[in-house]
PDB file of all heavy atoms in Angstrom:
ATOM      1  N   TYR A  30      36.006  23.255 -21.292  1.00 98.00           N
ATOM      2  CA  TYR A  30      37.062  23.314 -20.223  1.00 98.00           C
ATOM      3  C   TYR A  30      36.539  22.590 -18.977  1.00 98.00           C
ATOM      4  O   TYR A  30      35.363  22.365 -18.769  1.00 98.00           O
ATOM      5  CB  TYR A  30      37.412  24.767 -19.953  1.00 98.00           C
ATOM      6  CG  TYR A  30      37.827  25.468 -21.249  1.00 98.00           C
ATOM      7  CD1 TYR A  30      36.965  26.297 -21.943  1.00 98.00           C
ATOM      8  CD2 TYR A  30      39.102  25.202 -21.772  1.00 98.00           C
ATOM      9  CE1 TYR A  30      37.374  26.851 -23.165  1.00 98.00           C
ATOM     10  CE2 TYR A  30      39.489  25.771 -22.978  1.00 98.00           C
ATOM     11  CZ  TYR A  30      38.629  26.591 -23.643  1.00 98.00           C
ATOM     12  OH  TYR A  30      39.024  27.137 -24.877  1.00 98.00           O
ATOM     13  N   PHE A  86      35.597  28.450 -27.642  1.00 99.00           N
ATOM     14  CA  PHE A  86      36.579  29.531 -27.719  1.00 99.00           C
ATOM     15  C   PHE A  86      36.330  30.322 -29.011  1.00 99.00           C
ATOM     16  O   PHE A  86      36.414  29.728 -30.110  1.00 99.00           O
ATOM     17  CB  PHE A  86      38.010  28.850 -27.738  1.00 99.00           C
ATOM     18  CG  PHE A  86      39.155  29.753 -27.541  1.00 99.00           C
ATOM     19  CD1 PHE A  86      39.203  30.653 -26.528  1.00 99.00           C
ATOM     20  CD2 PHE A  86      40.264  29.644 -28.360  1.00 99.00           C
ATOM     21  CE1 PHE A  86      40.334  31.483 -26.312  1.00 99.00           C
ATOM     22  CE2 PHE A  86      41.396  30.403 -28.176  1.00 99.00           C
ATOM     23  CZ  PHE A  86      41.418  31.329 -27.160  1.00 99.00           C
ATOM     24  N   TRP A 140      39.447  35.342 -21.174  1.00 98.00           N
ATOM     25  CA  TRP A 140      40.456  34.760 -20.343  1.00 98.00           C
ATOM     26  C   TRP A 140      41.397  35.866 -19.889  1.00 98.00           C
ATOM     27  O   TRP A 140      41.471  36.887 -20.537  1.00 98.00           O
ATOM     28  CB  TRP A 140      41.301  33.752 -21.165  1.00 98.00           C
ATOM     29  CG  TRP A 140      40.563  32.566 -21.587  1.00 98.00           C
ATOM     30  CD1 TRP A 140      39.786  32.389 -22.750  1.00 98.00           C
ATOM     31  CD2 TRP A 140      40.437  31.301 -20.914  1.00 98.00           C
ATOM     32  NE1 TRP A 140      39.257  31.112 -22.771  1.00 98.00           N
ATOM     33  CE2 TRP A 140      39.641  30.405 -21.676  1.00 98.00           C
ATOM     34  CE3 TRP A 140      41.023  30.798 -19.667  1.00 98.00           C
ATOM     35  CZ2 TRP A 140      39.351  29.115 -21.272  1.00 98.00           C
ATOM     36  CZ3 TRP A 140      40.721  29.521 -19.317  1.00 98.00           C
ATOM     37  CH2 TRP A 140      39.904  28.693 -20.087  1.00 98.00           C
ATOM     38  N   GLN A 143      47.292  36.577 -22.006  1.00 98.00           N
ATOM     39  CA  GLN A 143      48.041  35.377 -22.299  1.00 98.00           C
ATOM     40  C   GLN A 143      49.564  35.575 -22.062  1.00 98.00           C
ATOM     41  O   GLN A 143      50.152  36.537 -22.598  1.00 98.00           O
ATOM     42  CB  GLN A 143      47.771  34.997 -23.767  1.00 98.00           C
ATOM     43  CG  GLN A 143      46.316  34.871 -24.109  1.00 98.00           C
ATOM     44  CD  GLN A 143      45.635  33.631 -23.519  1.00 98.00           C
ATOM     45  OE1 GLN A 143      45.926  32.537 -23.927  1.00 98.00           O
ATOM     46  NE2 GLN A 143      44.758  33.816 -22.529  1.00 98.00           N
ATOM     47  N   ARG A 163      52.745  24.525 -28.200  1.00 98.00           N
ATOM     48  CA  ARG A 163      51.315  24.172 -28.127  1.00 98.00           C
ATOM     49  C   ARG A 163      50.500  25.350 -28.658  1.00 98.00           C
ATOM     50  O   ARG A 163      50.694  26.475 -28.290  1.00 98.00           O
ATOM     51  CB  ARG A 163      50.903  23.903 -26.683  1.00 98.00           C
ATOM     52  CG  ARG A 163      49.465  23.477 -26.497  1.00 98.00           C
ATOM     53  CD  ARG A 163      48.619  24.602 -25.907  1.00 98.00           C
ATOM     54  NE  ARG A 163      47.179  24.335 -25.988  1.00 98.00           N
ATOM     55  CZ  ARG A 163      46.272  25.053 -25.365  1.00 98.00           C
ATOM     56  NH1 ARG A 163      46.565  26.140 -24.674  1.00 98.00           N
ATOM     57  NH2 ARG A 163      45.016  24.733 -25.486  1.00 98.00           N
ATOM     58  N   TYR A 165      46.336  26.774 -29.900  1.00 98.00           N
ATOM     59  CA  TYR A 165      44.900  26.515 -29.741  1.00 98.00           C
ATOM     60  C   TYR A 165      44.026  27.201 -30.789  1.00 98.00           C
ATOM     61  O   TYR A 165      42.790  27.094 -30.726  1.00 98.00           O
ATOM     62  CB  TYR A 165      44.414  26.929 -28.319  1.00 98.00           C
ATOM     63  CG  TYR A 165      44.774  28.343 -27.849  1.00 98.00           C
ATOM     64  CD1 TYR A 165      44.456  29.439 -28.665  1.00 98.00           C
ATOM     65  CD2 TYR A 165      45.372  28.529 -26.615  1.00 98.00           C
ATOM     66  CE1 TYR A 165      44.760  30.746 -28.216  1.00 98.00           C
ATOM     67  CE2 TYR A 165      45.677  29.827 -26.192  1.00 98.00           C
ATOM     68  CZ  TYR A 165      45.375  30.942 -26.993  1.00 98.00           C
ATOM     69  OH  TYR A 165      45.670  32.188 -26.559  1.00 98.00           O
ATOM     70  N   ALA A 185      42.980  22.330 -24.249  1.00 98.00           N
ATOM     71  CA  ALA A 185      43.386  22.664 -22.873  1.00 98.00           C
ATOM     72  C   ALA A 185      43.421  21.464 -21.986  1.00 98.00           C
ATOM     73  O   ALA A 185      44.374  21.269 -21.186  1.00 98.00           O
ATOM     74  CB  ALA A 185      42.460  23.725 -22.322  1.00 98.00           C
ATOM     75  N   THR A 202      49.430  30.846 -22.925  1.00 99.00           N
ATOM     76  CA  THR A 202      48.019  30.769 -22.472  1.00 99.00           C
ATOM     77  C   THR A 202      47.887  31.595 -21.193  1.00 99.00           C
ATOM     78  O   THR A 202      48.862  32.221 -20.727  1.00 99.00           O
ATOM     79  CB  THR A 202      47.598  29.275 -22.275  1.00 99.00           C
ATOM     80  OG1 THR A 202      46.187  29.228 -21.965  1.00 99.00           O
ATOM     81  CG2 THR A 202      48.361  28.585 -21.192  1.00 99.00           C
ATOM     82  N   SER A 203      46.706  31.575 -20.603  1.00 98.00           N
ATOM     83  CA  SER A 203      46.481  32.388 -19.410  1.00 98.00           C
ATOM     84  C   SER A 203      47.026  31.701 -18.172  1.00 98.00           C
ATOM     85  O   SER A 203      47.234  30.482 -18.159  1.00 98.00           O
ATOM     86  CB  SER A 203      44.982  32.583 -19.174  1.00 98.00           C
ATOM     87  OG  SER A 203      44.350  31.338 -19.050  1.00 98.00           O
ATOM     88  N   THR A 206      44.819  28.759 -17.205  1.00 98.00           N
ATOM     89  CA  THR A 206      45.119  27.454 -17.852  1.00 98.00           C
ATOM     90  C   THR A 206      46.450  26.897 -17.347  1.00 98.00           C
ATOM     91  O   THR A 206      46.628  25.711 -17.243  1.00 98.00           O
ATOM     92  CB  THR A 206      45.007  27.609 -19.343  1.00 98.00           C
ATOM     93  OG1 THR A 206      43.682  28.040 -19.666  1.00 98.00           O
ATOM     94  CG2 THR A 206      45.273  26.287 -20.088  1.00 98.00           C
TER      95      THR A 206
HETATM   96  N1  PCA B 401      43.007  29.050 -21.984  1.00 85.67           N
HETATM   97  C1  PCA B 401      42.509  28.343 -23.116  1.00 85.67           C
HETATM   98  C2  PCA B 401      42.163  29.362 -24.134  1.00 85.67           C
HETATM   99  C3  PCA B 401      42.839  30.614 -23.750  1.00 85.67           C
HETATM  100  C4  PCA B 401      43.290  30.383 -22.302  1.00 85.67           C
HETATM  101  O1  PCA B 401      43.711  31.193 -21.549  1.00 85.67           O
HETATM  102  C5  PCA B 401      43.499  27.372 -23.660  1.00 85.67           C
HETATM  103  O2  PCA B 401      44.677  27.468 -23.358  1.00 85.67           O
HETATM  104  O3  PCA B 401      43.093  26.535 -24.448  1.00 85.67           O
END
Side-chain angles (χ1 to χ4, degrees):
Y30 305 100
F86 192 48
W140 292 89
Q143 307 287 291
R163 182 256 169 170
Y165 53 51
T202 187
S203 61
T206 300

